[in-house]
Amino acid sequence: MTPFSILSARLQSDTPVCGVAIEPYVLVRRADGTTVTADEVPEEGYTDARFSLKSRWTKSVVTKEGQVCWAHPDHDATVQCILCLRCKVDTKRSFHCSPECLKEHWHFHVDFHNQSRNNAGSDSNQLSKQNSSAMLNGLRSPGDLVHLAGYNATGETWVEVGNQRCYIPTQEDVGCVLRYECTAYDSASAYPDMGKTFSILTSRVRPSATPPMRSMIHMTPVRPTLKRGKFTVLSYNLLADLYASAEQFGYCPSWALHWPYRRANLLRELLAYNADIMCLQEVQSTHFTEFFAPEFSRAGYTAIFKKKTNEMYTRDTYAIDGCATFFKKNKFALVKKYEVEFNKAALSLADSLPPEQKSTALSRLLKDNVALIAVLEALVPPQPLPHPEGGVPPPSRRKLICIANTHIHSNPELSDIKLWQVHTLLKGLEKIATSADIPMLVAGDFNSVPGSAAHNLLVHGTVPLNAVELSNDPLGILKPATKLCHRLPLASAYASLVAGGTDNGDPAITRLRRRLDPITQEPKFTNCTRDFKGTLDYILYSKDFLAPSGCLELPDESEVRSRKKEHGGIPNESWSSDHIALMSEFSYVVPEGIPVPPEEQDDDPPEDTPPVTPVRY
């Protein structure tokens, strides 16, 4: 037996994407007989150890089955424009995946031909267009469109692009086939390559992911607000990798469901939104520490995290997710953090029940959900206001806000547990509000649709006595129903802004209102899968202190469902979670009875905001 050998090698996904790291899974047997993964083995050329893993990445300069489509680099080329060849246009631009593709992009070719003719001092533009159009109209089959002498459909030239196990495809790799080869390496041997060389071919490298582009829509609040101190709050359930199974999301291409792809796409999307405070749910603990926390730290954010109370066994390992809150270091400082474990409240509640009910109660109540509450100090507070009786303003106090980030239980059959968790969270926030008269913000995935008992409790402070959820109470934890109330002056940001704000004739606001439910004024959906479409996520605020002055536009259902799979949903190639992000801008309201100089009041009309542009990662 060789002292060091490779047992197997495979790729997590055989569809590479530009900018997304590829990490082959390699299983190795050491000299002592133990079996380990490549993560525990040094790499050849980067170690002084005798035994190491030798890796080589190469790409096919002429791809495995020939040239690729200029418009769709992940497709084989089947046709080629003859005029491009005659006009000596860049050869890559002449290839297309089908006659229909060539016809669809023919206006580009007319420009290519005209530019080439102009550079060569040939015929006029009009004559070139006439000749090009006449030639296209006379084409009847792929054989009329192609000229195969320009390339060798079977020849391949492999060029080395990497010598480490992990490789990140570049823009130059798009459309190429990649090949990964690995060999056990013995630096002390005259023939260092040991045993079998494992070789794996990928499909063509796809272009970089393009996250959704959504604009921030500004509106004039109903109440007077201050110019200074505005901030934005985002809420987003990211779909933890431990829940992103092919069984659950079979309509999503496997490569688009793969975590390395989704994390890069989600990061681009979140950085593009540029929110001041981000409340994220379903953040896997390892992904928080190894990816999101360092990436957002580089972008200027401070991070806090609260994981759930029990791990899940999935894909041969244990994993756990939780809630993560990020805030900009130059705008906020952390004053205090509270961690809410609903299981602790469940244990306390179960102790108050009769002994014969305790076991049943714990089985129903213990659901591992959590909430993360942060008290933040605004480093850019509103302008100090004059004293009500005139004179010099009093010394400025610290401007604090309290923001809660939560993920409520999801099982629709346990509506009593959802309502109990929401009530427990709100009573805890009431205590904070009593001790400090500060604005409250509550964001997250509440797994409760508009009009439900939990939603009514959040936005109205009470639960209707005829709510259907009250009949689903086997433990009696919701009785009497009159106790299900709170005194926090909360309102939903999207519903309040669009229902009360003025649109100034802005078509973007008109479009946004069409994407809200006409009865509840909430978004028509924040979660859209094959089996469910509805609103589960909300951003709520203290209407005594704050007023929403803008919100992130909402997509139409046709924009999130894959065009190739009408019965699919999200996640897909562009949208990397089964939820969509919500974001609102907030301004501080002018306190009643206190005069404010006109220059400090925010009565300017809202500015036009261009679409959020995804950033490169």
Side-chain angles (χ1 to χ4, degrees), residues 191-248:
Y191 303 96
D193 291 354
M194 304 166 57
K196 176 183 176 181
T197 295
F198 285 77
S199 181
I200 307 172
L201 290 176
T202 72
S203 57
R204 283 194 180 81
V205 177
R206 297 181 60 90
S208 298
T210 304
M213 296 179 63
R214 299 164 63 187
S215 299
M216 194 71 180
I217 299 175
H218 294 278
M219 298 177 67
T220 303
V222 175
R223 299 181 63 182
T225 58
L226 301 174
K227 284 185 177 181
R228 287 187 56 182
K230 291 182 180 180
F231 60 93
T232 52
V233 176
L234 175 142
S235 181
Y236 200 178
N237 180 323
L238 300 186
L239 178 58
D241 187 43
L242 64 96
Y243 306 125
S245 66
E247 294 78 17
Q248 180 73 18

Side-chain angles (χ1 to χ4, degrees), residues 166-189:
C166 299
Y167 179 68
I168 301 177
T170 65
Q171 187 62 40
E172 289 72 26
D173 297 331
V174 172
C176 295
V177 171
L178 299 178
R179 179 171 64 192
Y180 173 68
E181 296 179 313
C182 60
T183 311
Y185 191 82
D186 180 3
S187 61
S189 172

Side-chain angles (χ1 to χ4, degrees), residues 274-291:
N274 195 32
D276 297 319
I277 303 172
M278 295 187 293
C279 296
L280 308 182
Q281 304 86 43
E282 284 196 25
V283 179
Q284 214 155 300
S285 59
T286 53
H287 299 161
F288 173 80
T289 55
E290 298 172 4
F291 182 73

Side-chain angles (χ1 to χ4, degrees), residues 389-407:
E389 299 177 0
V392 180
S396 179
R397 294 188 304 167
R398 294 194 302 173
K399 193 64 180 179
L400 304 179
I401 63 170
C402 178
I403 182 155
N405 176 12
T406 191
H407 189 188

Side-chain angles (χ1 to χ4, degrees), residues 3 10 14 109 147 196 284 286 321 437 549 553 564 577:
R10 59 181 172 85
D14 63 359
H109 285 266
H147 175 67
K196 176 183 176 181
Q284 214 155 300
T286 53
D321 69 293
D437 192 21
S549 52
E553 69 173 339
K564 298 180 181 178
S577 173

Side-chain angles (χ1 to χ4, degrees), residues 120-157:
S122 294
D123 302 328
S124 67
N125 286 350
Q126 186 62 34
L127 181 60
S128 298
K129 290 182 179 180
Q130 291 175 353
N131 290 341
S132 298
S133 300
M135 183 170 188
L136 180 63
N137 291 332
L139 299 175
R140 291 291 179 266
S141 68
D144 296 327
L145 289 165
V146 296
H147 175 67
L148 296 178
Y151 70 95
N152 182 346
T154 59
E156 293 178 325
T157 302

